[in-house]
Amino acid sequence: MEKHLWLCFCSMFALASCQQEEMSMSQSETSDLHVKASIAGSQLAVRSVTSEDGASNFSEGDEIGFFMPYGLTQLKWTFASGSWKTDGKAEWKDKVNEYSFCAYYPYAAETASSAQVVMPDLSKQTGTWNGLGEYDFLFARCLASYESNKGTVSFTGSSAFQHAYSLVTVTLVKDKEGEEVTLQKESFSGEGFFSKYYYKFGDEASQDGMVAAGESSSSSPLTFTYEDGVVLDAEGSHSAVILLNPSASEKMLGYSAAYQRDGISYTVQTDRIKGKFKPGYCYKYKLRLTKEGLTVVGKEISQWNVESMEDILVEETPDNQ
């Protein structure tokens, strides 16, 4: 009898231990939310261009703003040690339903809602590859459930980050090796190209887009002055790199430059660079300075959609005329 009771007690203890272990395992299964992100390739209207070959990659320390459909405020996620991390609380509302998540780069602490995301001030860009990523606004939207990707919201593939702006590069080269040509200043202008915008994430993807921050779409020219001068060569060692607000209709991008050739000052300008400047497209020009004129040629760049441009001839003007 005592042996029988002892066996019963052992069985009950084992069963209780097993149930407790199952309960512990169940409680350990959390609904934490994780983020994965990439940048769309050259075949998509596509982060930040940080090198002359057009390479676009997220790098250590980059920060994105992230919106959950059941959250009122944004969360900041930081790329560190190869993955995205947040100090905020990111959990799934449930493990069954699909939800639409939105994200943008670069993170702006002053952004109050997904309907009015603060975009970079293009009037402050420096015209160089270095630091261009600080102004290269990216956006992404992803439809996901907890079960679809093991709790990860994956901004990859067709949901990868895309460029909101257009990219323009202008490379100046001299025509003859024996001449000394020094660039002193260059300027870009055009209606609304550098005006302030904010980005709106709507209730659905078709409602997403850029919205002008003010009533006026006018903006001051974007000018770069080189106090020490930039010596040009025939290989194209100098390029101005700028981001533009895209245009839904054909617009003119004005360009002008001041330089010296063999000690004589010249200016050159053109208002014949026209077209629809599309988001995610790169328009690359090579300007050859000659005494007969200025030839503008469209070129290509990797990881961006490419728009080939026709040649444009522009006459240079000495300052004393």
Side-chain angles (χ1 to χ4, degrees):
M1 179 69 173
E2 290 180 359
K3 182 177 181 181
H4 179 70
L5 289 173
W6 174 252
L7 289 174
C8 289
F9 174 77
C10 289
S11 298
M12 292 175 62
F13 179 78
L15 179 61
S17 298
C18 203
Q19 288 178 335
Q20 178 150 1
E21 182 179 354
E22 290 179 356
M23 183 179 297
S24 176
M25 290 176 63
S26 176
Q27 289 175 345
S28 68
E29 294 178 358
T30 66
S31 56
D32 289 347
L33 184 149
H34 306 278
V35 165
K36 183 178 180 181
S38 67
I39 297 134
S42 60
Q43 298 304 313
L44 298 175
V46 282
R47 167 197 177 227
S48 62
V49 176
T50 56
S51 61
E52 294 187 28
D53 63 359
S56 301
N57 295 288
F58 286 113
S59 59
E60 188 78 7
D62 278 343
E63 299 173 340
I64 61 174
F66 177 80
F67 294 99
M68 297 184 291
Y70 41 84
L72 298 178
T73 59
Q74 66 174 341
L75 289 176
K76 180 177 72 173
W77 289 74
T78 304
F79 192 67
S81 301
S83 63
W84 292 95
K85 299 176 176 62
T86 182
D87 293 332
K89 185 177 182 179
E91 292 184 341
W92 289 86
K93 186 176 182 180
D94 58 66
K95 298 184 178 181
V96 179
N97 296 305
E98 278 192 328
Y99 296 97
S100 183
F101 300 90
C102 301
Y104 72 94
Y105 170 91
Y107 172 79
E110 58 269 35
T111 293
S113 73
S114 60
Q116 197 165 353
V117 177
V118 175
M119 299 183 73
D121 186 350
L122 293 183
S123 68
K124 295 181 179 180
Q125 56 186 314
T126 61
T128 63
W129 291 104
N130 184 31
L132 188 68
E134 298 176 15
Y135 301 92
D136 187 12
F137 186 88
L138 303 173
F139 63 93
R141 179 186 282 268
C142 177
L143 185 65
S145 67
Y146 180 89
E147 296 295 338
S148 64
N149 199 24
K150 299 180 180 180
T152 298
V153 177
S154 182
F155 295 107
T156 60
S158 60
S159 300
F161 279 84
Q162 301 181 47
H163 288 288
Y165 295 132
S166 302
L167 176 67
V168 171
T169 72
V170 173
T171 302
L172 287 178
V173 298
K174 67 179 183 179
D175 189 43
K176 298 179 180 180
E177 288 290 350
E179 296 179 329
E180 183 177 335
V181 180
T182 304
L183 178 66
Q184 298 170 320
K185 182 173 66 175
E186 53 190 338
S187 182
F188 298 87
S189 62
E191 182 184 359
F193 282 133
F194 312 112
S195 297
K196 187 65 177 176
Y197 277 73
Y198 64 84
Y199 197 85
K200 175 185 177 181
F201 287 110
D203 293 332
E204 53 188 42
S206 61
Q207 299 174 347
D208 296 350
M210 294 172 59
V211 180
E215 295 182 0
S216 175
S217 61
S218 63
S219 58
S220 301
L222 185 64
T223 301
F224 308 119
T225 302
Y226 310 107
E227 296 182 357
D228 298 328
V230 176
V231 178
L232 303 181
D233 57 25
E235 303 301 323
S237 60
H238 170 78
S239 296
V241 188
I242 62 171
L243 294 161
L244 307 177
N245 292 320
S247 58
S249 58
E250 184 175 280
K251 283 187 177 182
M252 181 270 293
L253 175 65
Y255 174 82
S256 63
Y259 58 96
Q260 285 190 343
R261 184 203 303 276
D262 294 332
I264 301 176
S265 295
Y266 291 88
T267 59
V268 66
Q269 61 182 6
T270 178
D271 58 1
R272 286 188 282 171
I273 302 177
K274 297 180 180 179
K276 292 182 180 180
F277 293 90
K278 304 173 186 177
Y281 275 73
C282 173
Y283 304 84
K284 188 173 183 180
Y285 302 91
K286 180 178 286 185
L287 284 62
R288 187 171 298 278
L289 298 169
T290 69
K291 293 182 179 179
E292 291 76 25
L294 175 66
T295 304
V296 185
V297 186
K299 295 293 181 180
E300 296 185 358
I301 191 170
S302 62
Q303 287 203 4
W304 287 72
N305 290 315
V306 177
E307 188 81 356
S308 297
M309 310 301 295
E310 295 181 356
D311 293 3
I312 300 174
L313 186 64
V314 185
E315 295 183 357
E316 68 179 5
T317 305
D319 280 353
N320 57 0
Q321 291 188 7

